Amino acid sequence: MHIHSIPMWTGKGNNYAYVVSDSKTKEAVVIDPANPPEVLPVLKEQTDSGKIKLTSIINTHHHHDHAGGNSEILKHYPLPVIGGKDCAHVTNTPAHNSTFTIGDSIKVRALHTPCHTQDSICYFFEDGDERAVFTGDTLFIGGCGRFFEGTPEEMDKALNQILGSLPDDTKVYPGHEYTKGNVKFAIQVSQDDAIKRLHKFAEENKETQGKTTIGDEKEFNVFMRLNDPTIQKATGASEPLQVMAKLREMKNAA
């Protein structure tokens, strides 16, 4: 499995699109190709050179900065669109926990994680011992998305039950580069060693996608530590869903 990151709107939205390909067959998908002027040249170079055979577009949710490039991409690559029910030009919305394959060796499991949007889907990729999850705006490195269409209960389920149950060595590929902002907030909540480690990591890495794991997130992501007494004290709440709600309120105001 080969993962190629495409930064988009750097310095503004700080988005990521991803091209994921099967190393043997070269079959590939492009995830959240929201800004065609930045994505199409990469796709053209890789398809023209035979590095990849593009088979589908995947969207994590319907927001314009994730699915808004579909129309233009489809003009050049008329392919199926796999994504949530509200994504532009979607042709297939996979059921929760359903699977599909890319090439000979990549197995993908669709994980429904409604909250940021009700059509949010994360995609868990496995290829032998390699594991990666593409989390859109549900899970960021050290943070999570705003609850635009959902509740604290839904985000708790998404992060701590669904994504949190993935193997600890699963690498995390979010939809945005928000790590520095997330760690700035986390330090206000806790100054323990895990968050200090995240701070050092964020300072040393301009791009953090694919460099941390689900196991790391359980250690330093405050939204995945709802039972931690330090986090509870900072929020003034003890019940996990109240802690989640308060953390999001605090982060929104930060």
Side-chain angles (χ1 to χ4, degrees), residues 88-103:
H89 304 287
V90 65
T91 54
N92 176 27
T93 297
H96 177 60
N97 265 331
S98 65
T99 61
F100 57 93
T101 58
I102 301 167

Side-chain angles (χ1 to χ4, degrees), residues 12 47 49 56 75 114 135 148 154 159 176 182 198 209 240:
K12 296 178 180 178
T47 55
S49 65
S56 61
K75 293 177 183 177
T135 58
F148 283 132
E154 287 180 317
L159 294 183
H176 293 265
N182 289 334
L198 176 62
Q209 76 284 18

Side-chain angles (χ1 to χ4, degrees), residues 124-252:
F124 175 55
F125 283 55
E126 286 184 287
D127 183 357
D129 294 333
E130 292 183 273
R131 300 178 182 89
V133 62
F134 297 85
T135 58
D137 286 3
T138 296
L139 172 66
F140 298 124
I141 309 302
C144 71
R146 290 177 182 259
F147 307 171
F148 283 132
E149 298 180 8
T151 65
E153 182 176 16
E154 287 180 317
M155 187 57 80
D156 176 44
K157 181 178 180 180
L159 294 183
N160 299 310
Q161 296 179 42
I162 296 174
L163 296 177
S165 69
L166 295 176
D168 280 349
D169 64 354
T170 303
K171 293 179 180 179
V172 178
Y173 290 84
H176 293 265
E177 182 55 61
Y178 285 168
T179 308
K180 283 185 169 61
N182 289 334
V183 76
K184 183 179 179 181
F185 170 70
I187 287 172
Q188 299 174 25
V189 177
S190 173
Q191 292 81 44
D192 65 14
D193 288 344
I195 291 175
K196 288 178 181 177
R197 176 166 61 88
L198 176 62
H199 180 262
K200 182 175 185 292
F201 168 73
E203 290 301 309
E204 293 175 349
N205 291 272
K206 181 179 179 181
E207 295 183 10
T208 61
Q209 76 284 18
K211 296 177 182 177
T212 69
T213 65
I214 289 293
D216 294 325
E217 292 299 319
K218 292 176 183 177
E219 293 184 12
F220 55 53
N221 191 320
V222 296
F223 293 92
M224 298 180 78
R225 293 171 50 185
L226 305 182
N227 293 307
D228 187 310
T230 303
I231 309 298
Q232 293 176 344
K233 182 178 179 181
T235 61
S238 57
E239 197 277 322
L241 296 183
Q242 293 177 350
V243 176
M244 176 67 83
K246 187 61 178 178
L247 281 171
R248 190 65 253 180
E249 291 174 9
M250 293 165 64
K251 179 66 168 68
N252 290 349

Side-chain angles (χ1 to χ4, degrees), residues 17-145:
Y18 299 102
V19 177
V20 187
S21 57
D22 174 42
S23 300
K24 183 179 178 182
T25 66
K26 309 302 181 186
E27 287 190 13
V29 298
V30 60
I31 301 173
D32 288 348
N35 191 23
E38 291 179 290
V39 175
L40 282 171
V42 176
L43 296 181
K44 179 175 172 51
E45 186 278 323
Q46 294 200 3
T47 55
D48 287 357
S49 65
K51 292 178 183 176
I52 65 170
K53 300 172 185 175
L54 200 61
T55 61
S56 61
I57 298 164
I58 293 179
N59 292 143
T60 58
H61 61 294
H62 71 265
H63 282 165
H64 183 77
D65 63 333
H66 293 264
N70 288 0
S71 295
E72 185 63 26
I73 300 292
L74 288 169
K75 293 177 183 177
H76 301 265
Y77 300 96
L79 299 167
V81 177
I82 300 169
K85 62 182 178 61
D86 297 322
C87 293
H89 304 287
V90 65
T91 54
N92 176 27
T93 297
H96 177 60
N97 265 331
S98 65
T99 61
F100 57 93
T101 58
I102 301 167
D104 289 342
S105 59
I106 301 175
K107 179 182 176 182
V108 184
R109 181 149 53 99
L111 303 172
H112 287 212
T113 52
C115 183
H116 180 72
T117 66
Q118 285 299 304
D119 73 338
S120 290
I121 301 176
C122 298
Y123 299 89
F124 175 55
F125 283 55
E126 286 184 287
D127 183 357
D129 294 333
E130 292 183 273
R131 300 178 182 89
V133 62
F134 297 85
T135 58
D137 286 3
T138 296
L139 172 66
F140 298 124
I141 309 302
C144 71

